[in-house]
Amino acid sequence: MNVAGFHGALLGIAGSTVAVGALWDVYRYRIPNALTFTAMGIGLAYHAGLGPDARGFMFSFLGLALLLTIGFTLFSQGWFGAGDAKLLGAVGALLGPAAGLNAFLYASAFGGLWALAWVRLTGPGGPVAAGFREARGRPIPYGFAIAAGTAVAV
């Protein structure tokens, strides 16, 4: 991803959003709606202000819609929490569809590694076969993987 097309403030907001979301997820096993919805609104408003027509807004909206669709598809399968899906949507609204999809792909790779590390951190011999979202009866805070994927994507 070429960051020259994005302003530093927007990258700072995206980075702060995923960092706070990741920390909140690790410590509380949830990501606050206030964080994700605020970031979505900022992304839509920022991009809407970039031009005299609706192209900036549509760019942001397509990123939001694409990543929310991916996130809630994974949520419906039990592989994501709803907060993770909304955090992914916020990334899409802030970065747009292409960079957002890259962030998701990187997050997927980090997520696999994070799941293995989480199982190891939460106890020896955790039941990985029980599902991607749970390890030793505790949810895997996937916000960390979304933050790592977003950092690499931008």
Side-chain angles (χ1 to χ4, degrees):
M1 173 70 208
N2 179 7
V3 296
F6 288 106
H7 293 88
L10 187 65
L11 290 177
I13 291 168
S16 298
T17 299
V18 295
V20 169
L23 289 172
W24 205 288
D25 201 16
V26 167
Y27 289 105
R28 302 277 186 185
Y29 295 101
R30 61 181 307 275
I31 299 171
N33 287 338
L35 175 70
T36 57
F37 291 140
T38 300
M40 289 176 196
I42 289 171
L44 290 169
Y46 176 85
H47 289 290
L50 287 182
D53 54 20
R55 283 184 287 183
F57 176 81
M58 288 307 297
F59 171 81
S60 182
F61 182 76
L62 288 174
L64 172 65
L66 174 65
L67 272 74
L68 272 180
T69 300
I70 291 169
F72 277 104
T73 299
L74 295 173
F75 170 71
S76 72
Q77 300 299 312
W79 296 347
F80 250 27
D84 301 321
K86 291 177 280 188
L87 184 62
L88 198 59
V91 169
L94 290 164
L95 302 182
L101 187 58
N102 283 339
F104 166 71
L105 294 174
Y106 286 121
S108 298
F110 281 112
L113 296 172
W114 177 238
L116 293 173
W118 189 255
V119 168
R120 190 71 183 133
L121 289 171
T122 58
V128 176
F132 292 105
R133 182 71 184 148
E134 302 237 346
R136 300 209 30 93
R138 302 178 77 184
I140 297 171
Y142 203 78
F144 180 81
I146 295 170
T150 301
V152 172
V154 295

